[in-house]
Amino acid sequence: MTAKITALALGRLADPNQRAKALVFTLLLALVAVYSAIVPPLQSPDECSHLKRAYLLTRGVIMLDVHPTHGSGGMIDQGLAAFIAAHLYLPHNEGNTVTRAMQRSANDIAWTKKTVFEPAPGAGYYFPLIYAPHAIGLGLGELFGLSLYHSYLLTRFTLSATCLALIFLALGIYRPNFLVLTLLLLPMSVFQLATVNIDGLTTALTLVAVGLFLRVADRRLEFRPWMSHAMAVAVFILVTCRPHLLPLLALPFVCALLRRSKRDLLLGLLVTVASLGWIGLSMSITMDLRQSRDLGVSQLLLFYLTHPRVFFSLLWNTLQNDDLLLFYRESFIGVLGWLDAKLADHYYAATSYFLIFTALISLSINNIRQDYPARLLLLFMALASLALIFFALLIAWTPHPSKVITGVQGRYFITPAIIFAYALSGSANVFSLKRPALASPAIAAWFIASAYHLAHTLVLRYYATQG
């Protein structure tokens, strides 16, 4: 029996696709474990709001309350509020680092069973199902009487484990290409997997949704009923927490067309109605006072929909700004922490070239005749998603009026980039085209450099004293 299991395992590892899947999963697991130990709590943008929203979900709160002077939020445990406040001295100030006294003080904070209102407007737009892994970690921590620090670590663990499990599932659903694997190993991707931000989860769910769609498009592969439901759930969660992924709503309908499936058609209608309903409801009731503007989100949405030329003019001005373009590139690859921990300049340049290299070796015209409808659809979705990123930040964050669109960060481009990456190869197996011999050494060298630069940057940012 043991011999059969060993033979089966060795046989699977002989497949280049399985080796790539196992390697990427192992590398991600190791990196997330290491960087979770390095990164202090709450050092990712909006992580505080996400943690508050997760706590509210443990109390069954679906819609946030609205406070006239603080905006949207809810009643959270005073201990959790104190734990968050204890770490707010680190962001936006590179001179502030972790000290033993701060660690001891923060680690001793306990649950109080008393509540206080805390704003969390950035999380008010998201359907709370995205916070289920967070809520499990926080709820278990409170249930077993753990300190806030250990409850936070448990939350990190449950979220990271969920993300890695979904990534492992996605890589098994449909083969990735070299660019997809590189995007997963970017410093920004790995950093977000080691925090309680929702970016890691949206990246994993994007892999699942797109992988299931390509499985439908590839007639050689089996597509089981549970996959339709899994894709519908993934699309719903993605669209209701990342509105720029609205184009993904087309996936169930295309699946219905390709497979002549009434089930997928009904799921598509259900997901579309539910997603648009939630987005409309959340925009109408969420009060975000972080930006002082005369018009609300719903009013700005109506304004730009009726004046599309204004939007495209602002988009053009934004894309003509060299400083913003540089920031997009760097924050896509990795400007860590609260955008206050940059990597070395030469690393950004080298990684930019490496991304182009992996895109080129991922490109394939094999099976193009049967693949082109699905690949063109993915390409359109990626480009539409990029445009919607700017539109979403225009109505939700940018002052009105403005000369450029503000609030856009490069990390928002990772999910559209993954969609684009899958469009490059379609159903072609790039691992069987004699390209691994060229790619493997380059990926290994880049990965080693990335791991070093990421660890070096984080240690200097959070633990090196000025002097």
Side-chain angles (χ1 to χ4, degrees):
M1 183 66 179
T2 303
K4 289 183 179 180
I5 295 174
T6 303
L8 178 61
L10 291 175
R12 290 179 66 84
L13 289 176
D15 182 353
N17 295 307
Q18 296 297 330
R19 288 202 303 270
K21 172 184 172 181
L23 177 61
V24 169
F25 180 79
T26 302
L27 292 177
L28 281 175
L29 181 62
L31 288 176
V32 169
V34 171
Y35 297 138
S36 291
I38 296 175
V39 180
L42 303 166
Q43 297 311 306
S44 178
D46 299 323
E47 196 172 353
C48 301
S49 291
H50 294 311
L51 200 61
K52 296 173 188 177
R53 188 67 185 89
Y55 173 83
L56 292 171
L57 183 58
T58 68
R59 297 306 188 260
V61 175
I62 302 300
M63 308 299 298
L64 296 184
D65 297 327
V66 177
H67 192 282
T69 57
H70 299 295
S72 294
M75 303 298 292
I76 72 168
D77 190 278
Q78 291 182 7
L80 178 58
F83 179 77
I84 292 172
H87 293 87
L88 291 181
Y89 80 100
L90 283 172
H92 309 304
N93 190 334
E94 296 182 27
N96 290 344
T97 57
V98 177
T99 65
R100 288 182 182 272
M102 184 278 290
Q103 283 185 312
R104 285 194 297 267
S105 176
N107 293 357
D108 290 338
I109 298 174
W111 298 95
T112 66
K113 308 300 181 183
K114 300 177 182 179
T115 58
V116 62
F117 184 89
E118 284 285 329
Y125 300 107
Y126 308 147
F127 190 76
L129 184 58
I130 191 75
Y131 295 108
H134 308 66
I136 291 172
L138 273 183
L140 289 175
E142 185 179 15
L143 177 65
F144 291 111
L146 301 181
S147 68
L148 261 300
Y149 174 71
H150 290 100
S151 297
Y152 173 85
L153 292 184
L154 182 58
T155 304
R156 263 191 185 177
F157 172 79
T158 56
L159 179 58
S160 296
T162 301
C163 293
L164 290 172
L166 287 171
I167 290 172
F168 189 77
L169 173 67
L171 296 181
I173 288 172
Y174 205 83
R175 68 179 72 91
N177 55 40
F178 298 112
L179 181 56
V180 171
L181 299 182
T182 303
L183 291 169
L184 283 177
L185 294 172
L186 281 177
M188 182 56 79
S189 299
V190 176
F191 177 77
Q192 295 297 348
L193 283 171
T195 71
V196 299
N197 203 308
I198 63 172
D199 285 22
L201 199 50
T202 56
T203 296
L205 287 170
T206 300
L207 289 168
V208 171
V210 176
L212 287 169
F213 168 71
L214 286 172
R215 195 175 180 92
V216 170
D218 192 339
R219 292 285 184 175
R220 299 168 299 178
L221 300 178
E222 181 183 8
F223 191 80
R224 299 176 181 177
W226 70 264
M227 295 180 176
S228 294
H229 295 91
M231 182 169 62
V233 172
V235 168
F236 174 74
I237 295 174
L238 286 168
V239 170
T240 54
C241 70
R242 289 289 184 258
H244 63 266
L245 294 176
L246 270 168
L248 293 182
L249 289 175
L251 293 183
F253 295 105
V254 177
C255 291
L257 180 64
L258 293 175
R259 297 277 176 169
R260 301 290 192 269
S261 170
K262 292 183 179 179
R263 179 184 61 249
D264 289 305
L265 177 61
L266 292 175
L267 286 172
L269 291 171
L270 177 62
V271 169
T272 300
V273 171
S275 299
L276 295 179
W278 171 264
I279 291 173
L281 177 63
S282 63
M283 285 197 309
S284 65
I285 66 175
T286 299
M287 181 185 294
D288 190 348
L289 301 180
R290 293 174 298 174
Q291 289 278 49
S292 178
R293 303 188 301 180
D294 295 331
L295 300 178
V297 173
S298 300
Q299 294 170 304
L300 289 171
L301 173 63
L302 180 62
F303 173 81
Y304 287 112
L305 286 178
T306 55
H307 299 82
R309 289 187 179 181
V310 179
F311 164 66
F312 286 110
S313 176
L314 284 170
L315 179 61
W316 176 257
N317 291 341
T318 302
L319 297 179
Q320 293 297 302
N321 188 307
D322 292 338
D323 291 335
L324 287 177
L325 292 179
L326 178 63
F327 171 71
Y328 297 157
R329 185 192 70 160
E330 291 180 346
S331 56
F332 174 79
I333 294 170
V335 179
L336 311 175
W338 285 73
L339 302 177
D340 54 11
K342 285 188 61 177
L343 302 167
D345 289 340
H346 62 269
Y347 176 80
Y348 291 117
T351 299
S352 298
Y353 289 118
F354 185 72
L355 286 167
I356 295 172
F357 166 73
T358 53
L360 291 174
I361 63 174
S362 297
L363 181 62
S364 174
I365 60 172
N366 289 13
N367 307 325
I368 190 69
R369 289 186 177 180
Q370 61 264 34
D371 275 357
Y372 79 89
R375 293 168 72 172
L376 284 177
L377 178 63
L378 290 178
L379 180 60
F380 168 78
M381 287 180 172
L383 295 176
S385 179
L386 288 174
L388 285 173
I389 289 172
F390 289 92
F391 187 80
L393 270 297
L394 176 61
I395 65 173
W397 186 259
T398 304
H400 181 78
S402 176
K403 294 183 179 180
V404 296
I405 300 171
T406 61
V408 177
Q409 300 176 30
R411 63 188 173 98
Y412 303 152
F413 302 145
I414 291 178
T415 46
I418 288 173
I419 299 172
F420 170 79
Y422 272 114
L424 291 179
S425 54
S427 65
N429 185 355
V430 295
F431 293 99
S432 65
L433 301 177
K434 298 182 180 180
R435 299 179 186 179
L438 175 66
S440 297
I443 291 177
W446 172 79
F447 171 76
I448 293 171
S450 296
Y452 168 80
H453 278 292
L454 183 51
H456 181 72
T457 300
L458 292 174
V459 170
L460 285 180
R461 168 62 186 89
Y462 294 115
Y463 301 99
T465 58
Q466 300 294 318

